[in-house]
């Protein structure tokens, strides 16, 4: 966050307007955070991987709630409304947003796993085994520690072959 007076809030955005909302909120000088994840879908007989919002329809916005200008967020192009309880916007816990930011790279893409995570392998000879992520390397290689035959075995796999356990 840029100033100690600011807090994080959640804005509901219009359908397919995440980039428009981010751009227009940034023009107003507001910090935004929109974590994204890779999504693979079948389209026209092919598999297509694209970036999709982790929380479709929502973007985190930071501003000072004591300042009078926060109501302009509701009138921002691409934004439907701020999530509010009564007449005040609901504050999102700073720890939650900070933890999400730490799980994302510089572009806001959610890293699939982090060291220490418990994961299950979904394919390969060790499919359905549960282990602990030891380390991450470039090119999406992940080293996982598996408990096999009373010992710990280090296995390299692709991040796409893992799911949270």
């Amino acid at each position: 966050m840029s100033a100690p007076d600011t807090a994080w809030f959640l804005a509901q955005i219009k359908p397919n307007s995440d980039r428009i909302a981010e751009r227009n909120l940034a023009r107003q000088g507001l910090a935004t955070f929109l974590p994204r994840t890779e999504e693979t879908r079948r389209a026209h007989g092919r598999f297509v991987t694209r970036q999709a919002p982790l929380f479709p329809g929502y973007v985190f916005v930071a501003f000072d709630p004591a300042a009078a200008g926060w109501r302009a967020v509701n009138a921002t192009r691409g934004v439907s409304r701020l999530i509010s309880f009564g007449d005040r916007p609901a504050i999102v816990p700073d720890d939650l947003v900070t933890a999400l930011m730490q799980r994302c790279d510089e572009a806001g893409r959610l890293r699939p796993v982090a060291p220490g995570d418990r994961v299950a392998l979904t394919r390969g000879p060790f499919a359905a085994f549960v282990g602990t992520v030891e380390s991450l390397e470039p090119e999406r290689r992940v080293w996982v520690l598996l408990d096999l035959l009373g010992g710990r075995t280090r296995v390299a796999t692709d991040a796409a072959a893992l799911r949270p356990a």
Side-chain angles (χ1 to χ4, degrees), residues 116-145:
D117 285 355
R118 298 279 298 161
V119 293
L121 280 84
T122 59
R123 61 180 185 238
F126 299 106
F129 279 82
V130 176
T132 304
V133 175
E134 181 187 40
S135 63
L136 304 171
E137 291 185 5
E139 304 302 319
R140 298 177 55 105
R141 177 180 285 183
V142 180
W143 289 96
V144 179
L145 292 174

Side-chain angles (χ1 to χ4, degrees), residues 18-19 22 32-38 51-54 100-111:
D18 50 335
R19 294 188 196 280
E22 271 188 307
T32 62
F33 176 56
L34 181 63
R36 298 180 181 279
T37 186
E38 281 190 358
Q51 298 294 318
L54 182 62
L100 276 170
M101 286 179 165
Q102 289 173 348
R103 292 291 303 260
C104 293
D105 63 12
E106 304 79 36
R109 290 185 304 259
L110 188 68
R111 292 183 196 104

Side-chain angles (χ1 to χ4, degrees), residues 13-102:
I13 55 179
K14 294 178 181 174
N16 301 316
S17 296
D18 50 335
R19 294 188 196 280
I20 295 168
E22 271 188 307
R23 184 175 53 244
N24 288 311
L25 289 166
R27 284 182 183 158
Q28 295 176 40
L30 300 173
T32 62
F33 176 56
L34 181 63
R36 298 180 181 279
T37 186
E38 281 190 358
E39 180 180 89
T40 303
R41 290 191 173 188
R42 190 178 177 109
H44 305 293
R46 300 182 336 197
F47 288 101
V48 178
T49 301
R50 66 179 186 93
Q51 298 294 318
L54 182 62
F55 305 109
Y58 297 94
V59 64
F60 294 99
V61 182
F63 58 84
D64 180 2
W70 67 263
R71 293 185 191 277
V73 172
N74 284 330
T76 301
R77 186 168 178 227
V79 174
S80 291
R81 64 185 178 95
L82 279 169
I83 303 300
S84 304
F85 296 114
D87 63 342
R88 304 294 292 172
I91 295 176
V92 176
D94 193 42
D95 296 343
L96 173 73
V97 178
T98 302
L100 276 170
M101 286 179 165
Q102 289 173 348

